């Protein structure tokens, strides 16, 4: 990397003006005013099962077909098919207005034969609706507990969480030729949507163009082509008109993925001095009609380990990865149990963690975090807090991969007038990828932050017509795209340098581009400004492609968080006072958006700790809080002071940061609540009813 | 949402002429905050929607020492929470209005709509569940998810009344004026609300062709203090788990009169005479306030998941009384 860089500075998002002024068009916004090809656009809607499990005896769309404005109707299930959860797609329509489409849905006649169902994880487990146990053993497994002086055991519960992206899922499809289709999709993975849809429609992939310039979040639930995209494409082909099919909030809740719940019984054994000896966890959870409720192993050092997991099947929509999938619930279990052990040993929980933490980076982070939250001054043992309002401190750990890899093809073009265009078919899921792409190009070319913000610098992403790139999942985007763009920029600069070298009479390898000038590193006064240099180009523009280079990225991040809470012991209300979040992500590319990732992760972690949770009614098998009133998400008043400490470690290269900051938040908050109260709430969300119950104030 | 006929008349009389003999025939639109939600969710599908907002009289908001406060049905919650006289003389009402939802919603919400809003019960609000309140045969909350449901006055339906403005208004002894083709009637706001055991299809005495026109709140006598305490799960915006409006009139350090009205615990705004009796004739101390709270929940009959509302109600009552008496 060049000596002076844009990397590591605070660069406002390149698309911030477009977003705050509303010029940015999300999938939900596109219509013929943003794309004339969408003239005559129809509205698609999907009829979904009203029952949690049923056989479809009859499905009759004939009335719907005759409704005003209806242009296409299709059944998605055959007669005799069995539906497995409420919200499963049964039929779809396209009509001239959204209201007509909804009316047409209610004219589709479905005769259900109700079948027995189960939506409750515990009951399903007891009924045997479960997989055989998956076991992982290290050292002597559970036998290792015989080496322990002290053992703690407890059961921890976390609910099913829903992704709730601000922009609901959906696609807008237009056929631009008999075998050419353009799809606007709110997606985390442009090229996989393109390839999957091409397969479904039996088209060559290059005949499918997928566009997602702006998107309102996905958190893992938009990481592959979902059902509505091919439905919209088929409706569109049938109707001979573009179709917009955006899901409602309720459909998002029911049918686009969820984060499985977990019931974990954890045992930890340790020596008297606090050295961890053995860990065991028996867990089960439901990914609805899919699986995937398994949990990762703890990040601490345990010579003996036993993990056993069972997936439970219930009549609810299938699971999907949600921001650091399953790590927050695992951390909640492990870090809660460690605090219970610390209390039993009479040890300071931070010291106990440092003693058993194999990560050198995280051991340093524990110390930084403890200092920033004022641990030494403020922390008092469990049960020593008195009064109506009680404060407490707690902490938790995170770990993540976040490495990148090959698969991106970036293009950097330098024009004779000095302007620079960068192109890459990645997507910005709200993390600031467009800005990262820009910073990589600016760094490769030796340009300044001011240039980055000028009209002369343009970045294009979010379109499969651009160079191929991977999905945005697993916090891999930054470490995948930065090297590819940097490589393209570096190669383009090398070509520009040839012309400058000839002009200055200096060998090209002695030229340096920095701060908007290209100069002789042996004689820095001898040089050209960027504009003077580009005017030397013999053609209108030069262009170079770049690919991921090894050596610019790393993998494996640590991280820890500390929370201070205040609990009202009369009302049970928990207020998070402050969170200190200490994270590393190798080389910090953009301090501003990196901090924003941490703030977002902590906020979502607070929401998981205190508010969120899907509620299925056992009587009807229906989700009764599939709305943002009763499925509660943290709002402005739930977000406390968040002190973000980012370790910049350029020597480790670029590493992703999107997911790790959500991992330790709930654990830290739960531990802080337990510290404040002297009693522990072992089930998320930590709502007032559970706090009052833990305090023994609820009559039984 | 089904298509409907829409009317925007300019007088109460023409509003009434457009209403029908059943709630299915016509619904009144004011702020639309609750009505449009119900229509969009497919909970109700009125044939006609009559917009009140063309009726100028109903925007009235005035105060005199003699007549007290008059609130037209269309006065918004934002107006109430920011009105200097209401803040100074009817603090519990200003606090109740302020505690509702978000600023955007309070800009739209009317006081008439706040009193007439339908329950938030998730079974009632689910388009595929036909509960007792919607004419079905079962209250699903009784054996189902009932953490937000009633601990007092419940049965056979266990909704809670969602209004944060009704409890303070009742505590200030308000009356409500209703208009129908049969004329006007005026009744105490306390008597405006009815329990599910008396009426299932609505939470008030309103007939389908009847509307709320005005709310009158007497001027509080000298020595009156008040407060509204709302306890909610989510602080950014949420309905009350428990709310308590307290209005106390103090004389020589002794409580002469007290009104305690609860939100979030019963199918109607729940006046607790038991709590009031504890206070009357006593100096207000933390101990007495707590005792009043205990009295308020003495007859509570919690469901499987909502017994936590008992200690929470005690806390809300205690805090509201102490604040009303100027002690915190």
């Amino acid at each position: 990397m060049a000596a002076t860089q844009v990397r590591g500075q605070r660069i406002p998002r390149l698309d911030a003006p477009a977003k705050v002024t509303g010029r940015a068009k999300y999938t939900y916004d596109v219509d013929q005013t943003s794309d004339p090809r969408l003239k005559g656009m129809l509205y698609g809607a999907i009829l979904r099962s009203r029952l949690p499990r049923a056989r479809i005896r009859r499905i009759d769309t004939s009335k719907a077909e005759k409704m005003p404005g209806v242009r296409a109707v299709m059944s998605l299930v055959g007669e005799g098919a069995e539906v497995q959860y409420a919200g499963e797609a049964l039929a779809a329509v396209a009509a001239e207005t959204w209201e007509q489409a909804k009316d047409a849905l209610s004219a589709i006649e479905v005769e259900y034969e109700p079948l027995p169902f189960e939506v409750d994880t515990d009951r399903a487990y007891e009924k045997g609706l479960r997989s055989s146990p998956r076991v992982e053993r290290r050292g002597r497994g559970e036998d290792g507990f015989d080496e322990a002086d002290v053992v703690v055991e407890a059961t921890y519960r976390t609910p099913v969480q829903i992704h709730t992206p601000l922009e609901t899922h959906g696609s807008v499809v237009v056929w631009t030729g008999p075998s050419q289709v353009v799809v606007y999709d709110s997606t985390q993975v442009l090229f996989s949507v393109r390839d999957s849809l091409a397969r479904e429609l039996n088209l060559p992939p290059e005949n499918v163009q997928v566009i997602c310039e702006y998107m309102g979040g996905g958190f893992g639930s938009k990481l592959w082509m979902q059902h509505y995209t091919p439905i919209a494409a088929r409706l569109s082909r049938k109707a001979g008109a573009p179709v917009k099919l955006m899901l409602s909030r309720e459909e998002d809740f029911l049918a686009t993925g969820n984060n499985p719940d977990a019931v974990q019984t954890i045992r930890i054994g340790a020596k008297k001095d606090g050295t961890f000896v053995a860990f065991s966890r028996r867990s089960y959870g439901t990914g609805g009609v899919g699986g995937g409720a398994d949990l990762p192993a703890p990040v601490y050092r345990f010579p003996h380990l036993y993990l056993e997991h069972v997936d439970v099947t219930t009549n609810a929509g299938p699971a999907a990865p949600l921001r650091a999938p399953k790590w927050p619930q695992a951390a909640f279990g492990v870090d809660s149990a460690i605090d219970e052990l610390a209390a039993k040993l009479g040890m300071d929980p931070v010291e106990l963690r440092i003693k058993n933490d194999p990560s050198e980076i995280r051991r340093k982070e524990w110390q930084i975090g403890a200092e920033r939250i004022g641990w030494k001054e403020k922390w008092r043992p469990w049960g020593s807090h008195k009064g109506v309002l009680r404060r407490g401190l707690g902490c938790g750990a995170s770990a993540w991969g976040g490495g990148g890899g090959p698969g991106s093809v970036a293009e950097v073009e330098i024009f004779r007038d000095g302007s620079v265009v960068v192109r890459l078919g990645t997507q910005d899921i709200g993390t600031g990828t467009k800005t990262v792409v820009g910073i990589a190009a600016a760094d490769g070319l030796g340009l300044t932050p001011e240039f980055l913000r000028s009209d002369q610098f343009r970045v294009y992403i979010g379109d499969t017509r651009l160079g191929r790139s991977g999905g945005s999942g697993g916090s891999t985007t930054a470490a995948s795209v930065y090297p590819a763009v940097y490589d393209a920029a570096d190669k383009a600069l090398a070509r520009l340098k040839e012309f400058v070298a000839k002009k200055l009479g200096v060998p090209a390898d002695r030229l340096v581009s920095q701060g908007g000038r290209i100069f002789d590193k042996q004689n820095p006064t001898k040089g050209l400004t960027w504009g003077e240099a580009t005017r030397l180009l013999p053609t209108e523009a030069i262009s170079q492609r770049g690919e991921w280079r090894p050596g610019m990225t790393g993998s494996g991040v640590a991280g820890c968080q500390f929370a201070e809470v205040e609990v009202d012991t009369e009302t049970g209300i928990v207020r998070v006072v402050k969170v200190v979040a200490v994270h590393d992500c190798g080389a910090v590319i953009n301090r501003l958006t990196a901090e924003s990732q941490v703030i977002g992760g902590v906020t979502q972690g607070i929401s998981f700790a205190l508010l969120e949770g899907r509620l299925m009614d056992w009587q009807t098998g229906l989700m009764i809080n599939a709305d943002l009133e009763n499925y509660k998400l943290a709002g402005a008043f739930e977000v406390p002071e968040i002190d973000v400490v980012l370790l910049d470690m350029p020597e480790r290269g670029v590493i992703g940061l999107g997911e790790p900051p959500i991992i330790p938040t709930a654990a830290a908050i739960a531990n802080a609540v337990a510290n404040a109260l002297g009693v522990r709430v072992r089930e998320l969300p930590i709502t007032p009813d559970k706090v009052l119950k833990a305090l023994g104030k609820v009559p039984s | 949402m089904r298509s409907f006929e829409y009317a925007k008349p300019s007088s109460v009389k023409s509003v009434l002429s457009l209403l029908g003999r059943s709630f299915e025939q016509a619904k009144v639109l004011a702020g639309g905050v609750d009505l449009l939600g119900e229509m969009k969710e497919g909970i109700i599908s009125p044939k006609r929607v009559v917009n009140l907002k063309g009726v100028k009289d109903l925007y009235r908001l005035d105060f005199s020492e003699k007549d007290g406060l008059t609130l037209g049905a269309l006065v918004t919650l934002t107006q109430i929470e920011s009105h200097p006289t209401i803040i100074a003389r009817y603090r519990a009402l200003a606090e109740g209005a302020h505690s509702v939802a978000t600023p955007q919603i309070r800009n739209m919400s009317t006081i008439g709509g706040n009193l007439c809003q339908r329950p938030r019960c998730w079974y009632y609000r689910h388009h595929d569940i036909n509960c007792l309140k919607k004419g079905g045969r079962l209250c699903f909350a009784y054996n189902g998810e009932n953490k937000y449901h009633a601990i007092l006055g419940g049965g056979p339906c266990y909704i809670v009344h969602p209004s944060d403005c009704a409890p303070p208004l009742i505590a200030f002894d308000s009356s409500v004026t209703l208009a129908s083709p049969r004329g006007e009637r005026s009744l105490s706001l306390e008597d405006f609300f009815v329990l599910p055991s008396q009426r299932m299809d609505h939470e008030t005495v309103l007939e389908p062709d009847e509307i709320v026109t005005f709310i009158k709140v007497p001027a509080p006598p000298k020595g009156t203090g008040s407060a509204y305490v709302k306890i909610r799960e989510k602080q950014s915006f949420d309905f009350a788990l428990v709310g308590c409006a307290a209005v106390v009139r103090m004389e020589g350090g002794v409580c002469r009169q007290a009104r305690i009205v609860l939100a979030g615990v019963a199918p109607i705004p729940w006046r607790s005479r038991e709590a009031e009796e504890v206070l009357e004739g006593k100096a207000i101390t933390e101990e007495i306030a707590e005792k009043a709270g205990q009295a308020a929940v003495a007859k509570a009959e919690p469901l499987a998941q909502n017994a936590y509302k008992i200690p929470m109600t005690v806390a809300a009552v205690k805090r509201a009384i102490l604040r009303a008496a100027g002690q915190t």
Side-chain angles (χ1 to χ4, degrees):
Chain A
M1 291 181 197
T4 305
Q5 294 163 321
V6 180
R7 185 199 73 66
Q9 300 193 38
R10 306 179 72 83
I11 306 295
R13 289 168 195 259
L14 300 181
D15 47 12
K19 285 185 172 177
V20 298
T21 57
R23 268 189 292 119
K25 295 294 173 206
Y26 292 74
T27 305
Y28 224 112
D29 301 323
V30 297
D31 59 19
Q32 71 173 91
T33 62
S34 59
D35 183 345
R37 293 175 298 187
L38 298 177
K39 191 162 185 280
M41 184 176 80
L42 307 174
Y43 292 84
I46 296 175
L47 181 72
R48 295 179 181 279
S49 173
R50 303 159 72 114
L51 294 181
R53 190 165 164 242
R55 187 160 292 116
I56 304 301
R57 279 213 191 109
R58 193 175 66 89
I59 182 159
D60 184 353
T61 59
S62 55
K63 279 190 190 142
E65 281 156 22
K66 295 181 198 113
M67 302 272 289
V70 172
R71 299 273 297 277
V73 182
M74 50 192 245
S75 286
L76 303 169
V77 292
E79 289 179 3
E82 194 180 307
V83 291
Q84 296 288 345
Y85 63 94
E88 206 173 326
L90 302 179
V93 302
E96 283 155 21
T97 68
W98 190 78
E99 290 78 9
Q100 287 171 335
K102 295 294 277 185
D103 280 350
L105 289 189
S106 46
I108 297 174
E109 290 169 6
V110 182
E111 203 180 305
Y112 296 93
E113 178 191 336
L115 297 172
F117 62 86
E118 189 51 74
V119 293
D120 181 83
T121 306
D122 288 319
R123 290 183 201 219
Y125 181 89
E126 282 155 24
K127 283 183 184 173
L129 301 166
R130 59 190 202 216
S131 68
S132 50
R134 210 165 333 146
V135 173
E136 189 187 335
R137 204 187 308 258
R138 274 187 234 153
R140 293 169 54 232
E142 282 190 305
D143 295 339
F145 279 93
D146 62 14
E147 296 170 27
D149 300 322
V150 183
V151 176
V152 289
E153 177 174 339
T155 299
Y156 305 92
R157 288 172 176 265
T158 50
V160 172
Q161 184 188 16
I162 309 289
H163 300 71
T164 59
L166 203 54
E167 182 185 35
T168 56
H169 292 61
S171 306
V172 180
V173 178
V174 53
W175 289 79
T176 53
S179 59
Q180 298 272 339
V181 66
V182 177
V183 181
Y184 289 90
D185 194 32
S186 181
T187 184
Q188 299 176 231
V189 53
L190 286 172
F191 279 86
S192 151
V193 171
R194 183 192 74 161
D195 298 348
S196 301
L197 187 61
R199 266 197 304 278
E200 287 247 358
L201 300 174
N202 206 15
L203 295 174
E206 57 277 13
N207 285 21
V208 178
Q209 182 187 1
V210 179
I211 303 169
C212 179
E213 197 180 352
Y214 301 100
M215 67 98 80
F219 305 112
S221 64
K222 298 175 181 173
L223 209 42
W224 65 97
M225 183 183 73
Q226 288 248 25
H227 61 287
Y228 45 79
T229 311
I231 292 174
R234 293 207 171 91
L235 285 170
S236 174
R237 189 159 56 185
K238 202 165 174 183
V243 168
K244 180 180 217 168
L245 203 175
M246 300 303 294
L247 303 194
S248 68
R249 180 58 64 187
E250 186 188 18
E251 290 176 285
D252 246 48
F253 271 107
L254 299 179
T256 63
N258 54 69
N259 189 18
D261 56 1
V263 181
Q264 331 171 36
T265 299
I266 291 177
R267 251 199 319 159
I268 295 183
K271 295 284 189 196
K272 272 191 204 113
D273 69 353
T275 306
F276 292 170
V277 170
F279 179 90
S280 91
R281 181 181 63 211
R282 286 179 158 76
S283 61
Y284 62 92
T286 188
V289 294
D294 54 305
L295 299 167
V299 301
Y300 300 94
R301 192 191 301 112
F302 288 101
H304 308 295
L305 184 88
Y306 179 84
L307 306 177
E308 183 187 300
H309 175 78
V310 170
D311 264 346
V312 176
T313 303
T314 53
N315 294 103
L322 193 159
R323 197 175 196 168
K326 282 120 36 167
W327 280 74
Q329 47 270 54
F332 166 69
V334 172
D335 272 311
S336 292
I338 288 175
D339 265 33
E340 304 213 39
L341 177 71
K344 199 161 178 179
L345 288 166
M347 270 185 82
D348 178 307
V350 178
E351 280 171 28
L352 181 61
R353 284 175 171 81
I354 291 173
K355 191 179 179 77
N356 292 285
D357 197 328
S359 158
E360 192 186 330
I361 294 172
R362 201 184 305 102
R363 288 200 297 270
K364 194 169 129 195
E365 289 170 338
W366 287 121
Q367 273 154 355
I368 295 170
E371 193 168 312
R372 297 286 278 241
I373 198 94
W375 188 271
K376 275 204 180 109
E377 307 81 68
K378 289 187 197 163
W379 186 80
R380 283 185 289 147
W382 303 267
S384 54
H385 301 261
K386 299 284 177 249
V388 174
L389 297 179
R390 294 182 202 165
R391 290 207 173 191
L393 294 180
C395 58
S398 68
W400 195 251
S408 290
V409 183
E411 184 190 356
V412 170
E413 209 172 359
I414 302 173
F415 288 81
R416 199 191 274 156
D417 71 357
S419 52
V420 172
V421 169
V422 189
R423 295 185 182 89
L424 176 62
T426 184
Q427 53 281 312
D428 189 338
I429 61 170
T431 48
T433 302
K434 192 172 196 174
T435 311
V436 167
V437 167
I439 291 170
D443 278 349
L445 296 170
L447 296 168
T448 61
E450 292 69 37
F451 188 88
L452 202 62
R453 279 196 290 271
S454 74
D455 294 345
Q456 283 205 297
F457 189 80
R458 298 184 288 279
V459 177
Y460 296 97
I461 63 164
D463 190 330
T464 53
R465 291 279 168 102
L466 307 173
R468 191 175 181 102
S469 195
S472 291
S475 304
T476 57
T477 309
S480 297
V481 305
Y482 187 95
V485 177
Y486 187 92
D487 184 54
D490 194 37
K491 285 175 178 158
L493 178 65
R495 283 190 59 192
L496 179 62
K497 278 181 182 170
E498 289 168 23
F499 299 103
V500 177
K502 209 179 284 175
K503 174 81 175 174
L504 296 178
V506 173
D509 59 8
R510 256 172 49 195
L511 292 175
V512 173
S513 179
Q514 203 178 81
R517 273 184 85 242
I518 299 176
F519 55 88
D520 180 359
K521 63 182 164 190
Q522 291 180 6
N523 179 12
T525 56
K526 190 171 184 179
L528 298 176
T529 64
W530 178 259
E532 287 165 350
T534 58
R535 271 196 291 279
L536 300 173
L537 292 177
T539 53
E540 190 53 37
I542 50 171
S543 163
Q544 284 292 321
R545 288 186 159 232
E547 294 193 37
W548 190 80
R549 290 181 181 182
M552 293 184 78
T553 64
S555 172
V557 296
C560 66
Q561 290 178 11
F562 287 75
E564 181 175 10
V565 303
E566 183 177 83
V567 189
D568 186 328
T569 54
E570 289 182 348
T571 64
I573 304 283
V574 175
R575 181 171 73 89
V576 182
V577 178
K578 183 175 180 174
V579 172
V580 174
V582 191
H583 291 273
D584 56 287
C585 58
V588 175
I589 300 175
N590 182 2
R591 199 161 269 282
L592 203 55
T593 48
E595 286 174 5
S596 170
Q597 281 305 294
V598 178
I599 292 167
V602 169
T603 301
Q604 210 167 9
I606 291 171
S607 204
F608 183 53
L610 300 182
L611 296 166
E612 293 185 44
R614 184 183 74 183
L615 283 173
M616 302 295 291
D617 174 52
W618 68 270
Q619 303 160 101
T620 55
L622 302 175
M623 179 176 175
I624 52 169
N625 63 341
D627 56 69
L628 293 179
E629 173 189 337
N630 286 313
Y631 186 95
K632 297 179 187 182
L633 293 175
F637 289 165
E638 275 68 37
V639 181
E641 179 192 352
I642 300 172
D643 180 13
V644 181
V645 183
L646 273 179
L647 310 186
D648 189 11
M649 303 171 139
E651 69 283 2
R652 299 180 63 205
V654 179
I655 313 178
L657 180 68
E659 285 160 295
I662 196 182
I663 295 172
T665 316
I669 290 171
N671 281 336
V673 170
N675 178 238
L677 299 180
V679 289
R680 183 168 287 273
V681 178
R682 295 192 180 91
E683 180 177 0
L684 299 186
I686 304 175
T687 42
D689 53 329
K690 293 181 195 139
V691 171
L692 291 172
K693 195 172 173 205
L695 287 166
K697 295 195 173 185
V698 178
S700 50
Chain B
M1 180 158 44
R2 296 309 180 86
S3 51
F4 53 88
E5 210 180 286
Y6 173 78
K8 191 179 177 185
S10 55
S11 71
V12 169
K13 203 177 157 194
S14 34
V15 168
L16 298 175
S17 72
L18 289 160
L19 297 179
R21 305 298 293 271
S22 76
F23 289 116
E24 291 75 36
Q25 273 179 17
K27 290 293 274 185
V28 175
L29 169 74
V33 172
D34 189 29
L35 182 75
L36 297 187
E38 280 208 301
M39 290 170 67
K40 286 181 176 177
E41 295 296 326
I43 311 302
I44 57 168
S45 304
K47 294 192 177 72
R48 181 186 289 161
V49 170
V50 183
N51 190 346
L52 273 191
K53 290 213 157 178
V55 184
K56 293 217 165 50
D57 295 353
L58 301 184
Y59 290 91
R60 202 172 133 197
L61 197 186
D62 55 42
F63 173 81
S64 73
E65 223 40 77
K66 182 169 155 282
D67 296 326
L69 181 68
T70 302
L71 299 169
L74 293 176
V75 169
T76 66
L77 301 192
T78 299
Q79 283 176 284
I80 292 173
E81 67 174 306
S82 58
H83 194 280
T85 307
I86 298 178
I87 293 169
R89 303 288 298 275
Y90 303 92
R91 184 172 73 165
L93 177 58
E95 289 178 346
H98 179 69
S99 76
V100 173
T102 63
Q104 292 95 322
I105 291 174
R106 296 198 293 275
N107 285 340
M108 297 301 295
S109 300
T110 63
I111 187 66
N114 186 273
L115 299 180
C116 298
Q117 65 182 312
R118 305 305 311 279
R120 307 306 307 181
C121 170
W122 38 36
Y123 293 104
Y124 171 75
R125 295 270 166 177
H126 198 294
H127 47 78
D128 286 335
I129 296 178
N130 189 27
C131 74
L132 198 55
K133 188 155 249 325
K134 288 192 283 193
R137 285 195 291 183
L138 205 61
C139 172
F140 289 87
Y142 187 73
N143 283 316
E145 296 294 330
N146 52 36
K147 78 177 273 198
Y148 298 139
H149 289 76
I151 56 169
L152 286 161
C157 151
Y158 289 85
I159 56 157
V160 293
H161 200 277
S163 174
D164 291 308
C165 294
L169 284 170
I170 293 171
F172 281 114
D173 216 4
S174 304
S175 62
V176 62
T177 307
L178 314 178
S180 76
R182 295 166 296 285
E184 267 197 353
R185 58 173 172 154
S186 203
L187 66 159
S188 140
L189 185 60
E190 193 184 347
D191 297 332
F192 176 67
F193 296 100
V194 288
L195 286 169
S197 51
Q198 298 160 265
R199 180 179 191 177
M200 191 57 77
D201 67 340
H202 215 280
E203 295 72 55
T204 72
V205 300
L206 276 181
E207 296 298 324
D209 58 354
E210 191 169 42
I211 63 167
V212 171
T213 50
F214 297 99
I215 297 115
K216 298 200 170 181
V217 201
K222 211 167 153 251
T224 302
S226 72
Y228 183 69
V229 167
K230 177 172 176 175
I231 298 168
R232 53 190 138 185
E233 240 168 20
K234 171 173 164 179
Q235 309 313 310
S236 297
F237 57 88
D238 208 348
F239 288 92
L241 294 171
V242 173
C244 178
V247 176
V248 295
R249 183 164 63 80
M250 304 297 291
E251 205 181 276
V254 169
C255 174
R256 286 296 163 211
Q257 198 190 23
R259 281 290 181 96
I260 306 296
V261 186
L262 304 172
V265 297
I268 56 172
W270 188 260
R271 183 169 168 198
S272 177
R273 287 189 168 73
E274 297 88 341
E276 294 167 6
E277 277 164 22
V278 171
L279 301 176
E280 281 163 8
K282 307 260 174 42
I284 294 205
T285 61
E286 195 170 336
E287 202 188 333
I288 284 291
E290 168 119 16
K291 242 173 139 177
Q294 303 284 3
V297 294
K299 291 180 188 153
E301 289 179 9
L303 301 166
Q305 299 171 350
N306 66 5
Y308 73 94
K309 285 192 178 185
I310 293 173
M312 190 180 275
T313 303
V314 176
V317 171
K318 181 177 85 174
R319 289 175 187 192
I321 291 167
L322 292 175
R323 286 188 59 232
Q327 304 208 353
T328 54

